[in-house]
Amino acid sequence: MHHDSQMDQFLFQFPWGIPYYHDGDMETISTSCSQTACANNSMSDLDTTCRCFYHLEHKLNNIVQITLYNMGLGGAMGTGYAHPFHLHGHHFYVMKVGWPSYNGSGFIDQMNQDIDCPGRDVSCNGKKWRNKDWLGGALEAMNTKNPTKRDTITLPVGGYITIRFRAVNPGWWFAHCHLELHLMGGTGYAYKVGDQNQIYMPPDNFPHDCGVFKVDKLPELRLPTQKSSNIPYTFIAVCLVLIIDRIFH
């Protein structure tokens, strides 16, 4: 998560059905990320063809540790935004916040150097820790004594956050940037906790599919008291024929 609308190089797209009812045939209700133009492409920052149902899967009762960074193209001073990251379904512990360095005026002087991102004007998708000993998740300076517990935290420009939670709530959940424009742009992901047989069944009368509303063009804007001005051409033609027929007869 290092660009205004991306999460791991993908732009999140909601499914048009309910994932619980489509275990094994998700392709019927969603776009697979493996089929998008940006799959496995670390230079995909500005490519809007990357929309797909990006999701993760966690084993029930596992401890999940996630690091989100906001660096590189779209994630540096003057080019990016701080993202209020919100997690549904669980609360998490804030294990570490990696801040950028600031100058005397309070502006970003340099992005955090813990992640191998070479600069503000290049793509930093898929980057790793500079310290290879951290690759297994054992970061230095994590707060393991009294970390704060929350469901929302701000991801700083030029920095990163590391959070941890135990996946105890089986089901499908959502995580996203709480800036609405970024969420609409695709900054989010879904995550599944537990296997299908570990997720509680919805009520029998629960709808299986949400449906999706699509239009070919923007609808006409009018108030409830106004009639539509979009009169079908065939209707106009019929009216003209009737008027002409009355005039000449």
Side-chain angles (χ1 to χ4, degrees):
M1 180 179 179
H2 73 283
H3 192 269
D4 292 347
S5 296
Q6 288 204 358
M7 183 71 71
D8 281 353
Q9 81 194 33
F10 297 114
L11 303 177
F12 180 79
Q13 182 182 63
F14 286 99
W16 46 91
I18 298 177
Y20 174 85
Y21 295 112
H22 293 274
D23 183 53
D25 66 338
M26 286 293 295
E27 68 279 358
T28 63
I29 63 161
S30 64
T31 301
S32 171
C33 291
S34 64
Q35 302 300 315
T36 62
C38 296
N40 302 317
N41 179 3
S42 63
M43 304 300 292
S44 63
D45 294 75
L46 303 179
D47 192 338
T48 57
T49 65
C50 306
R51 290 198 172 277
C52 61
F53 180 55
Y54 180 51
H55 64 279
L56 305 176
E57 296 187 5
H58 305 308
K59 293 292 185 182
L60 185 63
N61 293 317
N62 269 12
I63 294 177
V64 179
Q65 180 169 306
I66 296 174
T67 294
L68 301 169
Y69 62 90
N70 187 16
M71 301 179 185
L73 185 64
M77 184 184 72
T79 65
Y81 300 85
H83 298 283
F85 174 77
H86 177 61
L87 186 76
H88 290 255
H90 293 79
H91 287 81
F92 56 80
Y93 291 99
V94 180
M95 307 305 297
K96 186 177 183 179
V97 178
W99 299 96
S101 60
Y102 299 93
N103 60 28
S105 300
F107 290 98
I108 295 175
D109 181 55
Q110 186 180 45
M111 292 186 299
N112 188 285
Q113 295 298 293
D114 291 344
I115 292 177
D116 188 18
C117 178
R120 55 177 287 179
D121 299 320
V122 296
S123 170
C124 286
N125 266 317
K127 296 300 180 180
K128 306 293 184 181
W129 298 112
R130 292 182 188 273
N131 187 338
K132 304 306 179 185
D133 293 337
W134 293 13
L135 293 177
L139 282 61
E140 292 180 4
M142 284 198 298
N143 183 359
T144 58
K145 294 183 178 180
N146 57 348
T148 60
K149 186 178 184 181
R150 57 182 72 185
D151 61 14
T152 305
I153 184 173
T154 298
L155 173 60
V157 175
Y160 66 88
I161 57 173
T162 297
I163 62 174
R164 185 185 289 178
F165 65 93
R166 186 179 290 276
V168 296
N169 197 0
W172 281 91
W173 305 103
F174 190 38
H176 61 94
C177 174
H178 231 293
L179 293 177
E180 192 65 22
L181 286 177
H182 293 178
L183 170 57
M184 292 169 63
T187 310
Y189 69 93
Y191 70 100
K192 178 185 179 183
V193 172
D195 298 327
Q196 186 72 3
N197 60 1
Q198 295 175 311
I199 299 176
Y200 295 107
M201 296 175 58
D204 292 337
N205 62 345
F206 199 78
H208 288 204
D209 293 292
C210 307
V212 60
F213 179 69
K214 296 180 180 179
V215 292
D216 296 328
K217 61 181 180 180
L218 292 177
E220 179 188 7
L221 296 178
R222 57 192 177 92
L223 298 173
T225 56
Q226 294 176 313
K227 294 183 179 180
S228 174
S229 62
N230 294 330
I231 303 175
Y233 292 118
T234 53
F235 177 75
I236 295 175
V238 171
C239 289
L240 287 174
V241 170
L242 289 175
I243 291 172
I244 292 173
D245 183 68
R246 286 176 179 271
I247 292 174
F248 289 98
H249 290 81

